[in-house]
Amino acid sequence: MILKDWLDKAAQELKNAHNIPKSDAYKEAHYVANVILGQIVTGDTVLSDIAQYCLNAALSKRAAHMPLAKIAGKKEFYNKMFITNKHTLDPRCETEMIIDLVKIKARTILDLGTGTGCLIICLVEKHLKSHGLAIDISPHALAVAKENAAIYGLLKRIE
């Protein structure tokens, strides 16, 4: 099967499942394909059996209204990519304003309910003399935040 055929089928399924215009459904299907295949793909890309299986599994999740970030396992926030999963909320673009609004005078920043750690990571990275303390009730969310902090080389500055 070539990607174009899969995209047409996927767009129709998403259109029906979400009651959205076909053009929006096609964009979603293409995004899912790019994320699952790990590259920018074109319509003439030939799909292996395993690629088709993975794409169909992701399509089923999206048709069941799973957020795209949960399917992808990552979400962009403040021009950085963060790991996200079922134990964390997805970083929201509206929250990015906090990074620009906060003026840090203290050396320690406290992030309660840290989730992915996106806020504390961006704040600590922006304010070079600061350190962070990330707290969450979920040990699973803290593990995600720690992994994200490691990606950005901030484990020594965020506890």
Side-chain angles (χ1 to χ4, degrees):
M1 174 181 273
I2 62 170
L3 181 63
K4 182 187 179 318
D5 294 338
W6 183 87
L7 287 171
D8 290 339
K9 180 187 109 192
Q12 187 61 47
E13 188 172 331
L14 291 172
K15 177 184 180 293
N16 295 339
H18 296 228
N19 195 26
I20 58 176
K22 180 124 184 186
S23 61
D24 291 344
Y26 190 86
K27 287 176 189 173
E28 279 196 31
H30 202 269
Y31 175 79
V32 168
N34 285 336
V35 167
I36 296 304
L37 298 176
Q39 59 190 6
I40 304 297
V41 290
T42 61
D44 60 351
T45 300
V46 177
L47 300 173
S48 67
D49 290 343
I50 191 73
Q52 287 180 59
Y53 175 84
C54 293
L55 287 171
N56 289 333
L59 176 63
S60 294
K61 291 175 184 177
R62 184 60 191 139
H65 303 283
M66 181 181 279
L68 290 169
K70 293 300 188 238
I71 295 168
K74 58 188 173 183
K75 175 82 177 188
E76 187 175 346
F77 180 85
Y78 208 71
N79 296 318
K80 297 180 182 337
M81 197 58 72
F82 289 89
I83 296 168
T84 184
N85 64 25
K86 67 181 181 179
H87 302 291
T88 63
L89 296 174
D90 293 339
R92 297 176 54 107
C93 57
E94 304 86 39
T95 311
E96 290 181 356
M97 293 185 298
I98 293 172
I99 307 300
D100 293 324
L101 293 174
V102 171
K103 305 296 181 213
I104 305 291
K105 293 184 180 179
R107 289 249 197 213
T108 303
I109 303 165
L110 174 63
D111 184 10
L112 294 173
T114 197
T116 62
C118 63
L119 277 175
I120 194 79
I121 289 167
C122 290
L123 285 169
V124 166
E125 190 173 69
K126 183 177 178 182
H127 301 279
L128 300 176
K129 295 182 180 181
S130 66
H131 288 79
L133 177 59
I135 297 175
D136 202 294
I137 195 168
S138 167
H140 300 294
L142 282 174
V144 171
K146 185 174 184 174
E147 190 172 353
N148 282 323
I151 289 168
Y152 292 103
L154 294 171
L155 285 178
K156 291 183 179 179
R157 293 182 51 209
I158 299 175
E159 181 180 339

